[in-house]
Amino acid sequence: QASAFSPGRPVQGRALGQRARVARQPNRRLGVSMPSFAIQSAATPKSGAEGLCKKLSSTLASSLGKPESYVLVTFQKVDGMCFGGSTDPAAFCYLSSLGSITPEKNTATSAAVAAVLAEELDVPQNRYYINFFDSERSNMGYNGGTF
């Protein structure tokens, strides 16, 4: 059965939604995706930073269809954040992934993240941004090399 981690599976390119086959390189792990999610907010997570990161990790793995063992989540509490002229709870998020960045998955991921942000940080759905980025394999380092 094909999965997001199958060698030779078409991956979404950054330019104009082009699809490309990934060539196997010697001594490189192929087909492994490493979504990373960074969040900044002035709000304090109800379950603590580690609790928030764990909730987001499982949420993102499910939403993106990736194994949680490859998901990296960081939370940074900032001294202040102003969104739309207000310092009410808000958040800025950045998601980078090797594949799985598509309009459909972005919409589903945004909704899933919004639920966690509301529960953990009291951030309403209209007070956060997520920047989605489809990384090139050669620009993602892991295990002493790149993907």
Side-chain angles (χ1 to χ4, degrees):
Q1 183 179 23
S3 77
F5 306 101
S6 299
R9 180 178 184 265
V11 294
Q12 189 70 30
R14 292 191 317 169
L16 305 174
Q18 294 174 341
R19 298 180 71 76
R21 291 233 174 241
V22 176
R24 184 175 294 278
Q25 298 175 351
N27 302 320
R28 301 278 191 225
R29 290 186 59 168
L30 183 63
V32 177
S33 178
M34 188 175 200
S36 58
F37 186 79
I39 178 171
Q40 295 179 334
S41 181
T44 301
K46 293 177 183 172
S47 65
E50 287 184 6
L52 172 64
C53 288
K54 287 180 181 181
K55 284 183 183 180
L56 285 169
S57 179
S58 63
T59 298
L60 291 163
S62 176
S63 178
L64 296 171
K66 305 288 186 177
E68 190 173 0
S69 60
Y70 288 105
V71 177
L72 172 69
V73 177
T74 62
F75 171 75
Q76 181 181 23
K77 183 162 175 44
V78 296
D79 291 335
M81 183 170 284
C82 182
F83 184 100
S86 167
T87 57
D88 290 344
F92 177 71
C93 310
Y94 180 87
L95 175 64
S96 176
S97 181
L98 303 175
S100 292
I101 301 295
T102 66
E104 298 80 17
K105 285 204 177 187
N106 293 355
T107 299
T109 299
S110 184
V113 168
V116 176
L117 295 179
E119 175 188 341
E120 282 288 323
L121 299 171
D122 291 325
V123 171
Q125 290 187 6
N126 65 342
R127 294 202 42 87
Y128 76 93
Y129 286 140
I130 301 176
N131 184 353
F132 294 92
F133 186 75
D134 191 358
S135 296
E136 297 287 337
R137 291 181 178 276
S138 61
N139 292 336
M140 181 76 73
Y142 173 72
N143 201 23
T146 61
F147 287 101

